[in-house]
Every structure is written in C-alpha cells, then in structure tokens.
Amino acid sequence: MIKRIVAVSAYNLLARWLPATDNAYKVFGIIRKWRSWIASFAFDRAGRGINVEKNANFGTGAGIIIGDYSGLGINCKVRGPLEIGDNVMMGPDVIIFTSNHETSRTDIPMRGQGSTEPQKVTIESDVWIGARVIILPGVTIGKGAILAAGAVVTKDVPDYAVVGGVPAKVLKYRNK
C-alpha cells in the first residue's frame, strides 16, 4: 500500500509531466523507461517493457494489470478493474470507463445517485487501440483486434475484428 502511494505521488508530481516519448532521440527512451518504471509500482501487475506515456491518468492504479510490451497512450484516462494483455498499442486520448453514473431512480437527481458497480474491461493481446477511442464498462476486446480512431466501443469485439464508428461496428476481419 505504501509502495503504491509513493509511486502514484511520484508519477503525478513529476513523471506524468515529462515529454512524450514518440520520437527516436535516445534521451526520450530513458524518460520512457523511468516513467514506466515509476508507474509500474502503482499497478496490481505490470509486465516487462511496458510504456506509460505523458499525462496518462490511471488514478491510483488499483485493479489495473498490464501485460508485457503494452502501453498507456498520451493523455489516456483508465481505471480498474482493467486487464490489458501483451503487445497492446494505445493511441492518444483513449478513455476506458469501468463504471458510470447511476440513473435508475427518477425521484432524485442523477448526480445524487452515485456510481454503478465497476465492470471489468478486458483487452486481450496484440490489440491496436486508435486515437480517441472510448471503451465502455464490461467490454472485452478480442485478440488481434483493431479499434479505429474515434470509435465508441459499447459491446464485446471479436478476435481479429477491425471496428469503427459510433457505436463501433465490425468493418472487417484481419484473418479472413
């Protein structure tokens, strides 16, 4: 618990604001490793070679598992429960929601009803999440899928599907 608090504090006070590392200069590789190393102590589990980019927002990191060589993109916002497989690429400004506002009662304002119970989001291995994708609670993204930029993913995505749109629909399959 103390390790998580120290890691989240160090990340939010300094590492989060370091330059993005999406270029070839060697110093940026050092920044990438340092930022990712600090952030990894906040997660429930972090694999080898993860990449946490500039201004990634992961709250306390609780409930988040990130596999080998996967990353959190620039300016992303994610919360647990979230499981990201191996070799997952995430573009900038991605948002992954695991809970929502409660809206079931009409006798009190929605803002006074609290939040729904968190629903786990699972992203399997070898997935490419394009820029500004929004993933809603409880969704599973299948292995090898591609989520086109700007897609709003409201339901599960099959293995090797390419999806896009609002709401996201299957456009084609990579393996057919």
Side-chain angles (χ1 to χ4, degrees):
M1 182 62 164
I2 296 294
K3 182 168 66 170
R4 178 171 278 157
I5 291 168
V6 170
V8 169
S9 297
Y11 175 80
N12 284 318
L13 290 171
L14 179 61
R16 177 180 187 164
W17 309 107
L18 293 172
T21 60
D22 54 352
N23 62 52
Y25 295 114
K26 188 170 186 157
V27 69
F28 291 103
I30 294 166
I31 290 170
R32 172 185 288 193
K33 287 179 182 176
W34 191 74
R35 181 175 31 235
S36 298
W37 178 76
I38 288 175
S40 70
F41 291 103
F43 304 134
D44 287 1
R45 189 168 69 235
R48 296 182 316 264
I50 67 166
N51 179 33
V52 177
E53 273 298 346
K54 177 183 172 75
N55 203 30
N57 181 330
F58 49 79
T60 65
I64 298 176
I65 296 170
I66 300 179
D68 295 342
Y69 309 104
S70 291
L72 299 180
I74 297 169
N75 298 324
C76 74
K77 182 176 180 182
V78 302
R79 295 292 186 272
L82 169 63
E83 186 167 350
I84 298 173
D86 299 333
N87 300 300
V88 173
M89 298 183 295
M90 183 183 295
D93 302 312
V94 169
I95 302 173
I96 300 176
F97 291 106
T98 55
S99 64
N100 206 338
H101 294 285
E102 184 60 64
T103 60
S104 60
R105 295 183 59 186
T106 57
D107 59 325
I108 59 174
M110 289 180 277
R111 70 185 200 114
Q113 294 183 45
S115 297
T116 59
E117 284 295 314
Q119 297 177 18
K120 182 179 181 181
V121 170
T122 302
I123 301 168
E124 295 183 9
S125 294
D126 192 29
V127 170
W128 179 13
I129 304 170
R132 296 192 173 170
V133 167
I134 297 172
I135 301 173
L136 296 184
V139 168
T140 296
I141 309 298
K143 180 179 180 181
I146 298 173
L147 312 182
V152 177
V153 183
T154 61
K155 54 188 171 185
D156 293 352
V157 174
D159 291 353
Y160 302 104
V162 177
V163 301
V166 179
K169 294 183 170 80
V170 174
L171 304 174
K172 65 180 184 176
Y173 286 90
R174 293 178 55 218
N175 61 347
K176 294 187 178 166

